[in-house]
Amino acid sequence: MVKNTPWTPEDGAGETPKMARAALFLPEASDYIGSSPAESKSLAQPVTTSPFVQGLIQEAQHHHLPISVGIHEPSSDPTSSRIKNTLIYITATGQITQRYQKLHLFDLDIPDGPTMRESDIIEPGREILPPFPTPVGKVGSQICFDLRFPEPALALKRQGAEILLYPSAFMPETGAAHWMALLRARAIESESYVFAAAQVGWHNAKRRSYGHGVVIDPWGKVVVELGGEGTGEVEVGFVDVDLEKVERTRKMVPLLRRT
């Protein structure tokens, strides 16, 4: 994701003018998706020992490229039997400066369809983190099922977010019905860019994801859409981020809420 404006010190902690004005946004649970609750719990590692995270830190440093990525981490509570679903931000110098823990958990029970209880495995987060500066704009973090709730998106906009993140592993059944409608709604009502990097295809014999990773602009226009579960391909999308469009949209249609 490339920002075509001059670098300033506010562009992101840990960045310098020599570094690329770009960032890479990866899906939820990019480290793994387990085939059972027991496997999911057993695979969770702290970032300090996770080969996946440590590898991304090295790549961020080598390419001078910040990376936002969804991972699993052990609970901070030693008595907890669950793990955390988090979104971390790695700066171009390899520092983890943001860590958002998923607030809303996906419990699904469709008659004659899939059943899933994320709350059996994942412990929910407790706070909406303030937006933070990056080389491509001021970012507000959310994860997957958070998408169904407009309140966090509006809270992040009030705090100055220009880009909302929804890294996801949406199921095909709910994805086909709700994915694009919800993402466009969040972009339109917050007048922000929405970046939704998405898992795609089969992960194991039990689990597959809808795909259709997208970027949506503040007017609700889909500017990038990647393939769905039938493509069988991993894809990367690129977009120029026009932060002036965020400002123009908010001036053209001021959304003054009556609360």
Side-chain angles (χ1 to χ4, degrees):
M1 312 297 183
V2 181
K3 177 183 174 184
N4 291 325
T5 56
W7 184 94
T8 69
E10 291 73 31
D11 279 339
E15 321 298 349
T16 75
K18 295 181 180 179
M19 295 176 183
R21 289 182 290 274
L24 174 64
F25 297 88
L26 298 175
E28 174 188 29
S30 287
D31 48 356
Y32 64 85
I33 292 183
S35 59
S36 68
E39 182 182 43
S40 295
K41 294 174 187 177
S42 69
L43 292 173
Q45 295 188 46
V47 295
T48 53
T49 59
S50 166
F52 178 76
V53 175
Q54 291 301 310
L56 287 180
I57 287 173
Q58 293 175 15
E59 293 300 317
Q61 292 171 322
H62 177 72
H63 296 286
H64 306 296
L65 180 69
I67 300 172
S68 170
V69 58
I71 61 169
H72 300 88
E73 296 182 88
S75 173
S76 303
D77 179 359
T79 66
S80 176
S81 62
R82 297 185 288 180
I83 58 177
K84 297 190 290 188
N85 181 330
T86 58
L87 181 64
I88 61 173
Y89 181 76
I90 305 169
T91 70
T93 59
Q95 305 299 311
I96 297 176
T97 58
Q98 292 287 326
R99 177 184 274 101
Y100 167 73
Q101 186 176 348
K102 188 175 185 179
L103 283 175
H104 301 96
L105 303 183
F106 180 46
D107 289 352
L108 173 76
D109 187 2
I110 297 178
D112 301 318
T115 298
M116 181 176 175
R117 286 192 55 82
E118 189 178 29
S119 60
D120 289 343
I121 308 169
I122 304 297
E123 65 176 36
R126 296 179 179 272
E127 60 180 339
I128 301 170
L129 297 184
F132 62 96
T134 77
V136 297
K138 202 168 185 180
V139 166
S141 296
Q142 296 174 78
I143 300 173
C144 200
F145 201 64
D146 291 331
L147 171 61
R148 293 183 176 270
F149 303 90
E151 294 87 357
L154 297 174
L156 289 166
K157 178 197 175 179
R158 286 194 297 270
Q159 295 177 70
E162 298 162 305
I163 299 167
L164 301 178
L165 303 185
Y166 291 102
S168 298
F170 243 65
M171 297 186 73
E173 293 81 2
T174 54
H178 303 146
W179 173 247
M180 193 64 73
L182 288 169
L183 288 168
R184 292 193 66 215
R186 298 296 87 85
I188 293 167
E189 70 198 4
S190 69
E191 298 179 316
S192 304
Y193 276 95
V194 163
F195 293 174
Q199 295 269 13
V200 62
W202 286 95
H203 307 289
N204 50 58
K206 299 179 181 178
R207 180 73 189 276
R208 59 195 172 113
S209 291
Y210 180 63
H212 296 275
V214 295
V215 174
I216 301 172
D217 75 9
W219 193 245
K221 178 182 177 182
V222 177
V223 293
V224 171
E225 181 177 3
L226 305 181
E229 57 172 329
T231 62
E233 297 288 338
V234 175
E235 296 178 305
V236 178
F238 295 86
V239 64
D240 288 334
V241 177
D242 181 3
L243 295 182
E244 291 182 357
K245 188 165 191 176
V246 177
E247 185 178 357
R248 289 197 305 272
T249 303
R250 293 177 180 181
K251 285 182 177 179
M252 285 191 302
V253 187
L255 301 179
L256 302 178
R257 300 193 116 69
R258 297 176 62 87
T259 58

